[in-house]
């Protein structure tokens, strides 16, 4: 049995200075990089990362976003905003991250389990092929893409845990409701999540 770590959307556009910034995103990028450097190959046999990778996601992009289903333009394929944040990018490129899964080319796709790697392999298939049964989920944002990824992990048959010390939420209300969603779905949590005020 192997344990995997899923790093969700630690990208420029979701950190300070990006088009859809989450306060504390850059700090989480640093924490996640440190976690990967310290635990890859020991606590985690496999580390993967997800990236929003939008080409034409339709109504997910909006000039009048509701910040639930629609957002300002972000993480456009090939743009700097879609790249990993500089605090995490060297770790991702340094061999500690085994695969990157791109999601949302033509849809919203909040969950990493809607993504695929460069060979077109879906995340769930990639993990199963390597004997992964337990996954920890970290990244940006607790109440959006981390939420969707963790809930889909359980739906796909994995035991999932969200490490709140390595994730950041957008708002207290949605983060609180997300924690209740986790409880009901059987997603374990550890730590305390930072949220913007």
């Amino acid at each position: 049995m192997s344990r995997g770590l899923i790093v969700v959307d630690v990208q420029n556009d979701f950190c300070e200075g990006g088009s859809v910034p989450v306060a504390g995103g850059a700090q989480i990028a640093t924490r996640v990089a440190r976690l990967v450097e310290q635990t890859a190959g020991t606590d985690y046999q496999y580390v993967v990362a997800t990236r929003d990778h939008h080409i034409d996601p339709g109504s997910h992009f909006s000039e009048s976003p509701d910040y639930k289903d629609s957002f300002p333009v972000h993480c456009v394929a090939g743009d700097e905003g879609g790249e990993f944040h500089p605090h995490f990018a060297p770790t991702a490129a340094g061999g500690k991250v085994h695969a990157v899964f791109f999601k949302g080319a033509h849809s919203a796709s909040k969950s990493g389990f809607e993504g695929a790697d460069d060979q077109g392999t879906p995340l769930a298939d990639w993990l199963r092929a390597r004997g992964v049964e337990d996954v920890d989920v970290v990244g940006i944002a607790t109440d959006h893409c981390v939420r969707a990824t963790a809930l889909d992990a359980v739906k796909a048959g994995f035991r999932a845990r969200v490490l709140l010390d390595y994730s950041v939420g957008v708002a207290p209300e949605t983060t609180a409701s997300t924690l209740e969603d986790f409880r009901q779905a059987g997603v374990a949590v550890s730590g305390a999540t930072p949220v913007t005020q």
Side-chain angles (χ1 to χ4, degrees):
M1 182 181 70
S2 298
R3 177 177 289 278
L5 178 67
I6 304 173
V7 177
V8 176
D9 298 1
V10 180
Q11 295 169 266
N12 288 321
D13 272 345
F14 298 136
C15 296
E16 294 84 347
S19 62
V20 190
V22 179
Q27 181 182 16
I28 286 301
T30 299
R31 285 191 193 179
V32 168
R34 188 177 304 123
L35 175 69
V36 172
E37 293 289 346
Q38 293 174 348
T39 61
T42 54
D43 294 5
Y44 301 108
Q45 286 73 41
Y46 298 99
V47 177
V48 301
T50 71
R51 276 173 54 174
D52 258 16
H53 190 71
H54 296 308
I55 297 172
D56 181 13
S59 61
H60 184 54
F61 284 173
S62 174
E63 293 182 2
S64 303
D66 62 14
Y67 292 93
K68 180 180 177 184
D69 298 310
S70 60
F71 292 84
V73 174
H74 62 277
C75 297
V76 173
D79 285 359
E80 185 64 25
E83 298 298 319
F84 288 128
H85 188 273
H87 294 177
F88 177 68
T91 296
K96 300 281 179 132
V97 173
H98 297 95
V100 177
F101 293 82
F102 299 91
K103 58 190 177 70
H106 300 284
S107 65
S109 291
K110 289 187 176 183
S111 170
F113 284 87
E114 298 175 89
D117 67 7
D118 285 335
Q119 286 73 49
T121 305
L123 176 55
D125 292 351
W126 192 97
L127 293 169
R128 287 194 194 101
R130 288 155 181 81
V132 175
E133 296 181 6
D134 295 85
V135 294
D136 286 351
V137 185
V138 300
I140 306 172
T142 309
D143 40 353
H144 288 276
C145 295
V146 169
R147 174 188 181 276
T149 300
L151 293 175
D152 276 0
V154 170
K155 289 177 186 174
F158 298 94
R159 287 183 290 268
R161 178 176 64 170
V162 173
L163 306 183
L164 298 177
D165 289 338
Y166 299 92
S167 305
V168 62
V170 172
E173 299 80 10
T174 50
T175 299
S177 65
T178 290
L179 297 182
E180 178 59 21
D181 292 341
F182 288 163
R183 187 189 69 77
Q184 293 186 10
V187 175
V189 297
S190 71
T193 186
V195 295
T196 62
Q197 299 300 320

